[in-house]
Amino acid sequence: MPNTHIYWLHPLSPTHAGIGRGVGYIDLPIDRAGVTGWPILRGSGFKGVWRDWAIQQKKDQIELAFGRADKDGESANSGALIPTDAKLVCLPVRSFRGTFAWATSPLCLQMLRRTLSLAGVHDLPNAPKELTDDKAHHATGSALVEGKNIFLEDLDFTAVECKTATAWAAKIAEWVFDKDDPWSKEFQKRFVVLPDSAFDFLCETGTEVHTRVRIDDEMKTVAKGALWTEESLPAETILMGLIQCDRVFQKKDETPKVDEATLLNQFAPLNPPKPLTLQIGGKATVGRGQVRCVFTEVK
């Protein structure tokens, strides 16, 4: 796919990308993919936050990149930058050894591999094989193994060192943290591939659910009806999406101001001095939604 970059989202605090009032036991649930039920962050939500970042950076060509409304007699135009939804790659899970694991599954990695292949990424590791429900594949030098087992939450698995898991851990670590970053090694030590059924279970039950209240100013007790629960993506979750630059829409009599490749590199820089720090989702006033964003090249 020409004029395409990959973006990686790495929440540094619990992130509430919600869908409004829920119908289950969680009053304010997070958004989930309709087919898999895995957490997801919609491209529309990311694009709005991304645009705010560009405005704060005082970047040029913002209306070409993100679109322009019809106002003051000026014609509207569609934005050229098109982000896909950010899909789950790794879910952080508490571990008996190593504090926590970055967990994924064969199906999750197969979907990641398919997306990256369609985008044009080469030299990807092999697709992982399906696992029996009692085994988990880990990378070489894992910090998660206790004896011959890996213990996550209240689940235990037989630990199996796997070359494919090692290769995927190295690739994802390089994309998200850069291979020279100390966190790259930490990621590889905590990377684990779980059976699909176990991963589905953890995606359903392993998110953070917080109970919130509002206190009545006069009585100093919980206000009537002001007790609720809200769900968040845990800090350290890793998600991935694609950004493509479509045709840059301009008036017919205008000389082209910028081409697609230049516009994409301007707003999705591959080698910035530091990753973008974005505020995504709700509950910002209580510290939710601090997200690290990294752009990588399709090659």
Side-chain angles (χ1 to χ4, degrees):
M1 296 171 63
N3 299 320
T4 301
H5 286 175
I6 307 164
Y7 74 99
W8 303 85
L9 298 180
H10 173 212
L12 302 177
S13 69
T15 299
H16 178 77
I19 56 173
R21 179 70 61 175
V23 295
Y25 71 95
I26 298 174
D27 296 310
L28 299 176
I30 59 173
D31 200 357
R32 293 176 178 272
V35 174
T36 62
W38 300 344
I40 195 170
L41 202 150
R42 301 294 175 181
S44 56
F46 169 74
K47 188 174 183 178
V49 172
W50 188 23
R51 185 180 187 277
D52 287 343
W53 168 83
I55 292 172
Q56 292 171 9
Q57 298 298 313
K58 302 186 184 328
K59 288 187 174 288
D60 297 327
Q61 319 294 354
I62 287 178
E63 291 185 338
L64 294 181
F66 298 101
R68 176 175 58 197
D70 188 358
K71 60 180 181 180
D72 299 330
E74 294 185 5
S75 60
N77 69 266
S78 175
L81 298 179
I82 304 172
T84 68
D85 296 340
K87 297 181 179 180
L88 183 65
V89 176
C90 293
L91 183 75
V93 181
R94 288 183 298 175
S95 174
F96 177 77
R97 189 171 184 86
T99 308
F100 79 97
W102 270 293
T104 187
S105 73
L107 179 59
C108 190
L109 289 178
Q110 287 172 10
M111 294 172 72
L112 173 64
R113 190 177 194 277
R114 180 182 63 185
T115 299
L116 294 175
S117 296
L118 290 172
V121 179
H122 304 292
D123 300 325
L124 292 169
N126 294 326
K129 297 180 181 179
E130 292 186 15
L131 294 171
T132 58
D133 288 345
D134 62 337
K135 289 183 172 60
H137 286 177
H138 63 83
T140 302
S142 176
L144 305 173
V145 180
E146 174 71 19
K148 295 182 179 181
N149 297 95
I150 292 176
F151 300 98
L152 303 178
E153 295 284 357
D154 55 350
L155 306 175
D156 61 281
F157 305 93
T158 301
V160 179
E161 186 175 331
C162 174
K163 291 182 179 179
T164 301
T166 302
W168 274 110
K171 275 289 188 182
I172 297 173
E174 180 180 349
W175 288 322
V176 178
F177 298 107
D178 193 273
K179 61 183 178 181
D180 297 324
D181 191 311
W183 273 104
S184 177
K185 294 182 179 179
E186 292 296 330
F187 177 85
Q188 294 177 67
K189 291 194 303 184
R190 289 170 171 78
F191 183 78
V192 62
V193 183
L194 301 180
D196 290 328
S197 57
F199 185 70
D200 289 346
F201 171 75
L202 290 170
C203 284
E204 181 67 29
T205 63
T207 56
E208 294 192 20
V209 179
H210 307 92
T211 301
R212 299 281 306 281
V213 298
R214 179 168 56 83
I215 301 298
D216 184 280
D217 289 337
E218 294 184 2
M219 304 302 295
K220 300 303 179 185
T221 57
V222 177
K224 185 177 181 180
L227 169 67
W228 74 96
T229 55
E230 57 190 38
E231 185 181 20
S232 300
L233 271 173
E236 306 300 337
T237 303
I238 293 175
L239 307 102
M240 183 279 303
L242 299 177
I243 295 170
Q244 186 176 23
C245 190
D246 195 5
R247 178 168 67 91
V248 179
F249 294 93
Q250 299 175 104
K251 294 179 181 178
K252 293 181 180 180
D253 57 346
E254 283 185 334
T255 302
K257 298 178 181 179
V258 62
D259 60 26
E260 287 80 4
T262 302
L263 193 69
L264 181 62
N265 289 325
Q266 180 180 347
F267 288 92
L270 296 175
N271 296 300
K274 59 181 180 180
L276 278 58
T277 302
L278 305 177
Q279 181 69 48
I280 296 180
K283 319 304 173 186
T285 57
V286 289
R288 305 283 187 264
Q290 297 176 25
V291 178
R292 177 174 166 271
C293 177
V294 179
F295 300 104
T296 57
E297 188 178 4
V298 171
K299 61 179 182 178

